[in-house]
């Protein structure tokens, strides 16, 4: 666990002697605590481009930001949002404290370009998520049928 805490906070904690019993619990609420669920990639219909969806849940008391994504199957992975039916690339998406960031069909999504191989249904695609504060998170994203939509729907 590599968590960076502001130096001032550390100084206060030291002054109060709180670090003496620091086992990692209790102080966690000043950090984001991220977990990824519902990740999938619809089997791409294009040989060069694919989309990916997932949900990032933050149980911590601080927000974080998804800043970049990498994958060994794609030369480039970008984060897109959909506004008024048109998608555009964004530099970061916020994962709110005690909240979630949802990437779902018709909304925010990952865009894989310059594919090195074409993912097939039943395979998995490894994706590494990079955040402003938290360490990187690796996700094994299952490849679903091209028409797949999760039960929780659109
Ligand atoms: Cu897109």
């Amino acid at each position: 666990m590599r968590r960076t805490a502001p130096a001032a906070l550390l100084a206060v904690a030291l002054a109060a002697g709180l670090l003496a019993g620091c086992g990692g619990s209790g102080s966690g609420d000043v950090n984001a605590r991220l977990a990824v669920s519902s990740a999938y990639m619809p089997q791409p219909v294009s040989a060069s481009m694919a989309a990916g969806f997932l949900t990032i849940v933050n149980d911590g008391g601080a927000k974080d930001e998804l800043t970049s994504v990498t994958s060994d199957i794609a030369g480039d992975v970008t984060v897109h949002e959909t506004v008024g039916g048109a998608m555009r690339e964004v530099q970061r998406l916020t994962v709110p404290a005690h909240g979630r960031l949802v990437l779902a069909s018709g909304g925010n999504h990952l865009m894989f370009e310059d594919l090195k191989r074409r993912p097939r249904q039943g395979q998995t695609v490894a994706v590494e998520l990079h955040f402003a504060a938290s360490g990187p998170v690796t996700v094994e994203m299952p490849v679903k049928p091209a028409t797949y939509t999760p039960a929780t729907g659109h």
Side-chain angles (χ1 to χ4, degrees), residues 49 51 78-82 87-89 107 109-111 113:
M49 191 178 284
T78 50
V79 181
H80 288 193
E81 63 178 7
T82 305
M87 66 180 187
R88 66 182 181 206
E89 185 177 346
H109 56 278
L110 305 180
M111 202 77 143
E113 290 169 86

Side-chain angles (χ1 to χ4, degrees), residues 38-86:
S38 308
Y40 74 97
M41 169 183 284
Q43 180 173 293
V45 291
S46 153
S48 63
M49 191 178 284
F53 306 105
L54 49 82
T55 296
I56 303 168
V57 176
N58 181 5
D59 285 329
K63 71 164 188 173
D64 207 339
E65 290 175 316
L66 177 65
T67 53
S68 69
V69 182
T70 54
S71 173
D72 58 4
I73 68 145
D76 193 30
V77 186
T78 50
V79 181
H80 288 193
E81 63 178 7
T82 305
V83 177

